Amino acid sequence: MKRDLICIICPRGCAMHVEGEKDNLTVTGNACPKGKQYAIDECTHPTRTVTSIVRVSNREDTMVSVKTAAPIPKENIFDVMAKIRATKVEAPIEAGTVILSDIYGTEVIATKSIF
Amino acid sequence: MTAHDIVIVGGGPAGMAAAVAAYDSGVTDVVILDREDSVGGILRQCIHNGFGLHKLGRELTGPEYADVYRKEVEKRGIKIYCETMVTAVSTDRVVTARNRQGIMKIQAGAVVLAMGCRERSRGALNISGTRPAGVYSAGTAQKLINCEGYMVGKKVVILGSGDIGLIMARRMSFEGAKVEAVCEIMPYSGGLTRNIVQCLEDYGIPLYLSTTVAEIHGQKRVEGVTIAEVDENRRVKEETKRYIPCDTLLLSCGLIPENELTRSAGIPIDPITSGALVDENRETATPGIFACGNVLQVHDLVDYVSDEAEIAGIGAANFVKNGAVTGETVATKPGNGVRYVLPQRVHTDKGNDVALFMRVTQPFGKVRFTVKSGDEVLATAVRLKAAPGEMEKIVVKSEKLALASEPITVSLEVL
């Protein structure tokens, strides 16, 4: 395979080129090892951190922001979004509290404290 | 009238980092005034991740990044006044503010301006058409969706490819809306490359360059927009007009530093950055009044806002402890390919290295920046690429700075 991609790890945005077979990929154009890893992951099993919001049922017009504690497979983003959307929580919530567990090998946690 | 050593106007990332840095420099009587009901500023609605990679070495969401600094502020016992709106700052550093308790006047030893910026509105863009509901600035939509849980629309066109617009394209897609197009009047995007990749390309959202919204349609609610390509003078090409049905238009067309207080204090403003003219300590032309963060220059990354705010916080603390910085300054000026340079003046004889920040006029490939004073080359830097959306930083060493007797010019040559 051959693929050109732009690194999203940091704002530098390196233009990278990937060539080779699935378990023997060569990456060029990356400025750091994180970029190489990103390129290989992106070509074999792309992942993303998902961030969203969950309604706080005992506060008026209040949402608590959440994220997956680790990146999840890219193809599962909309499934995770559906699970997040179906969830409600009650305040008080500490940032870091687990909102949903067992989400593609990780969990969804609060990123804001609601007192 | 009460008195405090340092008064900080705005409790966003800039204000909090300035407060912490000032405190750690030995001035502990620091207060933060913020008009919202809690500190954190715009980070509170930026629920996406990608903050803190540079400054904190880990990837955080906006609320988490704000929380890191809120905890540092609270740990030091720095007093925060929320729901407190500063209405005036005078050149002799009297800060007037009002809240539910009434009006307060504070005599400050030093003031740090950290009010942030706001979005350019439809009125400022002069888009023709009707005036229906459903036209939002991208940041307003972001606040409604992320903080209040109110979904603003289902079929969306976004004008402007700044970072907020790109982030909102992804956010709206996550919440089930269809983003029909992102239109950018310039021939290149103003957003970070990584945001184009992870917010548009990931979700198959088209980005139309050299394209604008020529007209808004709809009576009560937006029913559609006419988009069109523009020529090199940004005039609409009539033959390229086409109609896109939608119920929502988001505007992400630039940020304007919120400098009303600065202007009414008579503090000189740089017409290009729309922020105050400052020296390397981020002190404005008015002694004892400092500025940092997006009220000074619009940044790409909050990490760099925090860095800049620390400079201003330390500057304010030194002003309180030692009085004004004396000595000659030389001006900095943008040269070929450079739009502005900040700080706009620097002291040359303080024995400190000084970092110059700048933006280029258009996207370039490989370039070399040269910092010169007269014929003296003070610093050079090579970059593989440069774009207006990505701020550049070049450090001038103290021994080189000491050689600068004429204005310092930063220019670039394409390699």
Side-chain angles (χ1 to χ4, degrees):
Chain A
M1 66 166 286
K2 281 187 183 179
R3 198 172 151 191
D4 291 306
L5 68 173
I6 289 166
C7 187
I8 62 168
I9 300 293
C10 87
R12 187 180 173 127
C14 292
M16 303 187 292
H17 182 73
V18 186
E19 256 188 81
E21 294 311 308
K22 204 166 170 91
D23 42 8
N24 185 24
L25 292 169
T26 325
V27 182
T28 49
N30 58 305
C32 78
K34 280 184 186 168
K36 184 180 176 182
Q37 192 58 50
Y38 166 75
I40 291 172
D41 289 349
E42 192 66 10
C43 292
T44 51
H45 57 283
T47 61
R48 296 286 184 270
T49 297
V50 174
T51 63
S52 189
I53 47 170
V54 168
R55 189 167 288 280
V56 180
S57 52
N58 58 342
R59 296 277 187 280
E60 193 182 348
D61 294 339
T62 300
M63 314 299 288
V64 61
S65 52
V66 301
K67 68 172 181 183
T68 55
I72 56 146
K74 199 173 148 185
E75 69 265 24
N76 302 126
I77 289 176
F78 283 91
D79 181 45
V80 172
M81 274 302 302
K83 289 193 167 83
I84 290 173
R85 209 174 297 121
T87 307
K88 278 184 188 172
V89 293
E90 287 200 357
I93 308 152
E94 273 290 315
T97 305
V98 175
I99 306 284
L100 290 168
S101 49
D102 198 16
I103 299 291
Y104 296 100
T106 183
E107 44 205 17
V108 172
I109 60 171
T111 58
K112 203 185 252 184
S113 299
I114 306 284
F115 302 104
Chain B
M1 181 140 64
T2 56
H4 290 290
D5 281 344
I6 296 179
V7 173
I8 294 177
V9 185
M16 290 195 290
V20 169
Y23 186 100
D24 292 351
S25 301
V27 176
T28 55
D29 178 21
V30 181
V31 296
I32 297 175
L33 310 179
D34 193 277
R35 64 186 173 192
E36 296 287 324
D37 59 9
S38 64
V39 290
I42 212 69
L43 286 173
R44 291 172 352 126
Q45 68 189 59
C46 298
I47 63 162
H48 54 281
N49 58 321
F51 301 92
L53 275 167
H54 294 261
K55 184 75 183 160
L56 306 171
R58 54 204 161 115
E59 193 180 39
L60 301 173
T61 63
E64 290 172 316
Y65 190 97
D67 244 23
V68 169
Y69 280 89
R70 181 181 59 81
K71 284 178 181 152
E72 294 298 319
V73 166
E74 286 175 355
K75 201 161 82 187
R76 288 165 179 76
I78 294 168
K79 173 84 178 153
I80 302 168
Y81 290 91
C82 283
E83 296 184 312
T84 301
M85 179 82 185
V86 174
T87 53
V89 174
S90 71
T91 47
D92 53 359
R93 302 186 296 283
V94 174
V95 178
T96 308
R98 51 173 290 266
N99 59 19
R100 281 169 209 262
Q101 277 71 52
I103 294 174
M104 56 177 169
K105 280 186 183 291
I106 307 171
Q107 175 65 58
V111 176
V112 179
L113 303 174
M115 294 87 80
C117 59
R118 63 166 170 257
E119 299 177 279
R120 189 162 283 127
S121 65
R122 177 184 174 180
L125 294 168
N126 272 331
I127 306 170
S128 61
T130 52
R131 305 187 67 82
V135 181
Y136 296 91
S137 70
T140 302
Q142 187 180 45
K143 183 173 188 177
L144 288 169
I145 296 172
N146 292 346
C147 298
E148 293 171 25
Y150 172 80
M151 185 61 183
V152 298
K154 293 182 180 130
K155 221 167 147 61
V156 188
V157 170
I158 299 176
L159 175 60
S161 63
D163 287 308
I164 312 170
L166 300 175
I167 294 286
M168 284 310 293
R170 175 177 62 181
R171 185 78 192 102
M172 300 280 297
S173 304
F174 274 3
E175 292 294 347
K178 175 90 173 76
V179 182
E180 299 289 340
V182 176
C183 302
E184 169 60 57
I185 195 167
M186 301 300 285
Y188 51 85
S189 167
L192 297 172
T193 312
R194 62 169 174 168
N195 282 338
I196 295 174
V197 174
Q198 63 181 352
C199 298
L200 300 188
E201 290 175 13
D202 268 9
Y203 304 98
I205 299 167
L207 170 62
Y208 301 117
L209 298 175
S210 299
T211 299
T212 192
V213 170
E215 194 171 348
I216 298 171
H217 306 272
Q219 285 305 319
K220 287 190 170 163
R221 177 81 195 188
V222 174
E223 286 163 13
V225 294
T226 299
I227 70 167
E229 290 175 25
V230 295
D231 64 16
E232 62 278 8
N233 297 318
R234 297 194 219 168
R235 277 188 304 236
V236 165
K237 294 183 191 169
E238 289 294 327
E239 69 280 10
T240 64
K241 276 188 174 176
R242 70 189 172 98
Y243 181 79
I244 302 183
C246 62
D247 58 31
T248 304
L249 175 67
L250 299 190
L251 305 172
S252 175
C253 303
L255 299 167
I256 303 161
E258 202 159 329
N259 268 310
E260 282 68 23
L261 289 173
T262 321
R263 284 202 179 82
S264 47
I267 295 170
I269 301 277
D270 182 328
I272 300 176
T273 60
S274 302
L277 295 164
V278 293
D279 70 3
E280 75 279 12
N281 303 310
R282 304 299 183 269
E283 187 173 11
T284 67
T286 302
I289 300 184
F290 295 75
C292 57
N294 282 352
V295 80
L296 181 60
Q297 58 173 337
V298 176
H299 291 69
D300 321 319
L301 299 180
V302 71
D303 303 57
Y304 301 156
V305 167
S306 303
D307 284 342
E308 183 171 85
E310 286 169 6
I311 297 172
I314 292 166
N318 286 336
F319 183 88
V320 169
K321 288 189 290 187
N322 311 321
V325 177
T326 52
E328 288 301 304
T329 59
V330 298
T332 64
K333 301 219 175 302
N336 178 51
V338 177
R339 206 167 132 250
Y340 73 80
V341 180
L342 189 141
Q344 291 89 348
R345 64 181 195 282
V346 290
H347 294 86
T348 53
D349 57 348
K350 300 299 166 200
N352 299 320
D353 297 350
V354 169
L356 301 178
F357 295 84
M358 65 216 67
R359 284 184 193 276
V360 298
T361 51
Q362 64 183 80
F364 292 102
K366 192 174 181 183
V367 294
R368 180 190 290 118
F369 289 94
T370 305
V371 183
K372 281 174 95 171
S373 169
D375 290 331
E376 196 73 50
V377 174
L378 307 181
T380 60
V382 173
R383 298 283 184 270
L384 294 173
K385 58 188 172 66
E390 304 193 10
M391 192 188 289
E392 297 289 343
K393 171 184 173 181
I394 299 170
V395 177
V396 180
K397 293 280 178 197
S398 60
E399 61 270 20
K400 288 290 185 184
L401 202 55
L403 303 173
S405 49
E406 294 175 54
I408 295 170
T409 308
V410 185
S411 54
L412 66 76
E413 53 182 321
V414 178
L415 297 178

